[in-house]
């Protein structure tokens, strides 16, 4: 009997306990819990894994606590460029968009590409035109802006750095994870009652990135991958390294060709292969048997998972018991 499950992440990075505000920490815990519960409800009602991960990521895009959709980081030119991807493990169909700035929910545009286009990836104006033609909600680019993200950009500009949510001054926001040293991506993976897997990933990218830069999130096999034969994966971290290693697919390949378990394969990639190239971050993954893994080599990762019928498990820090 299939034990349906959903797992989500909201980014990984360095812990800033000295400035952490308990109230804001609870905001993160509550948001993660509510989104896991929503995904569980979809699966419990017979919804597909694809529907569950898409809705979970849409909700993460709507939450300004995370770097995707509302609350996306700024480019060097003080604009927003968002990326997203979804993949259906049952069919190996995928859809992705990159470099968009007017689509309210990029993950819905990625789903539309999967369902309504013979292509896999649309970028920039072409992606936005495709989304508009399929009646997805369009917004003004400033819809995604928040004051905290603007302050992050100003700190990055003062230090002339381009990093993942940039590596700049001390955290004064009260976030559990230092937003100036945090990998800002969101994602979800799920196994439904029919035994199908799916994955979705979305991001606002890097604070102070150059216009046109695209990371691993919309790249099939790098930041997002799903195959009913073995596993669904969504990654968060140093995008260029995750692309160079095809991190998400590498987990699946280690399971298929080496016979490694989900835990062994995901830890081999995240804890060994990524750091060798100077990368940091994490991944969430669920295999065809319903096993869950949430490895990360950074100090913390916003994460949660829940089997249908169980209470959600959520965590931020390494010692939190939310690792599948």
């Amino acid at each position: 009997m299939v034990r349906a499950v959903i797992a989500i992440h909201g980014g990984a990075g360095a812990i800033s306990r000295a400035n952490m505000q308990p109230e804001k920490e609870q905001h993160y815990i509550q948001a993660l819990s509510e989104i896991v519960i929503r995904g569980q409800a979809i699966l419990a009602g017979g919804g597909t894994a694809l529907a569950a991960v898409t809705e979970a990521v849409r909700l993460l895009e709507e939450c300004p606590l995370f770097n995707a959709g509302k609350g996306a980081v700024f480019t060097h030119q003080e604009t927003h460029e968002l990326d997203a991807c979804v993949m259906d493990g049952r069919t190996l169909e995928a859809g992705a968009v990159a470099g968009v700035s007017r689509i309210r929910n990029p993950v819905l545009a990625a789903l539309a590409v999967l369902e309504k286009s013979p292509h896999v990836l649309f970028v920039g104006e072409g992606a936005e035109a495709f989304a508009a033609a399929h009646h997805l909600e369009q917004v003004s680019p400033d819809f995604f802006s928040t004051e905290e993200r603007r302050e992050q950009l100003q700190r990055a500009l003062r230090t002339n750095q381009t990093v993942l949510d940039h590596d700049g001054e001390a955290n004064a926001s009260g976030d559990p994870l230092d937003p100036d040293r945090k990998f800002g991506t969101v994602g979800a993976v799920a196994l439904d009652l029919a035994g199908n897997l799916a994955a979705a990933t979305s991001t606002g990218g890097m604070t102070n990135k150059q216009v046109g830069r695209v990371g691993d999130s919309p790249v099939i096999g790098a930041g997002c991958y799903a195959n009913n034969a073995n596993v669904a994966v969504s990654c968060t971290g140093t995008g260029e390294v995750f692309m160079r290693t095809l991190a998400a697919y590498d987990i699946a390949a280690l399971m298929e060709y080496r016979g490694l378990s989900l835990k062994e394969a995901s830890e081999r990639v995240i804890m060994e292969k990524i750091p060798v190239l100077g990368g940091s971050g994490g991944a969430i993954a669920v295999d065809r048997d319903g096993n869950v893994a949430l490895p990360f080599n950074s100090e913390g990762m916003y994460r949660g998972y829940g089997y249908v019928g169980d209470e959600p498990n959520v965590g931020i820090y390494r010692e939190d018991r939310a690792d599948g």
Side-chain angles (χ1 to χ4, degrees), residues 10-302:
I15 296 171
S16 183
R17 291 186 184 277
N19 297 296
M20 186 268 289
Q21 296 175 359
E23 183 179 359
K24 192 156 191 179
E25 182 181 50
Q26 285 306 307
H27 289 329
Y28 280 99
I29 295 296
Q30 182 177 354
L32 291 168
S33 298
E34 290 176 351
I35 293 169
V36 169
I37 289 170
R38 176 57 184 150
Q40 290 174 298
I42 292 172
L43 296 173
T48 65
L50 186 63
V53 298
T54 301
E55 177 62 7
V57 169
R58 186 192 71 81
L59 292 171
L60 287 160
E61 290 177 342
E62 289 290 312
C63 182
L65 292 172
F66 303 104
N67 174 24
K70 181 72 172 177
V73 299
F74 285 89
T75 69
H76 181 76
Q77 287 78 6
E78 299 191 36
T79 60
H80 299 285
E81 292 188 344
L82 293 78
D83 312 322
C85 176
V86 295
M87 187 164 183
D88 186 345
R90 182 179 66 86
T91 62
L92 297 187
E93 292 178 329
V97 296
V100 301
S101 60
R102 294 181 178 275
I103 302 170
R104 176 166 180 154
N105 294 112
V107 71
L108 296 184
L111 180 65
V113 174
L114 182 155
E115 294 179 335
K116 301 173 181 178
S117 171
H119 307 304
V120 171
L121 173 63
F122 282 87
V123 302
E125 292 182 1
E128 291 179 346
F130 178 86
H134 290 86
H135 311 293
L136 296 180
E137 184 175 355
Q138 309 289 299
V139 294
S140 170
D142 62 8
F143 168 83
F144 304 108
S145 304
T146 65
E147 191 56 37
E148 284 188 11
R149 296 303 191 196
R150 192 175 295 278
E151 290 172 0
Q152 280 180 265
L153 175 63
Q154 294 307 312
R155 292 195 297 271
L157 291 171
R158 285 198 297 272
T159 56
N160 194 31
Q161 293 188 9
T162 303
V163 289
L164 294 141
D165 276 349
H166 103 275
D167 192 3
E169 299 174 3
N171 173 25
S173 73
D175 285 345
L177 299 189
D178 187 342
D180 292 347
R181 292 184 293 148
K182 176 166 67 69
F183 310 105
T185 306
V186 306
V189 294
L191 173 70
D192 63 31
L193 292 171
N196 296 311
L197 293 164
T201 308
S202 181
T203 188
M206 298 164 57
T207 295
N208 199 28
K209 68 179 181 179
Q210 290 298 309
V211 166
R213 179 265 182 186
V214 176
D216 64 303
S217 295
V219 178
I220 309 302
C224 186
Y225 186 74
N227 187 336
N228 273 13
N230 38 52
V231 69
V233 184
S234 175
C235 299
T236 175
T238 315
E240 281 70 14
V241 175
F242 278 72
M243 282 191 284
R244 288 159 57 197
T245 57
L246 281 177
Y249 176 72
D250 197 18
I251 292 172
L254 286 168
M255 295 175 69
E256 182 174 358
Y257 302 127
R258 292 287 302 277
L260 299 188
S261 68
L262 173 65
K263 179 176 171 40
E264 291 169 335
S266 60
E267 290 191 353
R268 178 77 59 84
V269 172
I270 299 301
M271 309 306 288
E272 298 179 21
K273 292 189 171 187
I274 294 295
V276 164
L277 296 179
S280 184
I284 56 172
V286 58
D287 68 16
R288 64 183 183 180
D289 297 319
N291 298 305
V292 174
L294 302 94
F296 55 97
N297 59 42
S298 52
E299 296 175 61
M301 182 169 76
Y302 296 114

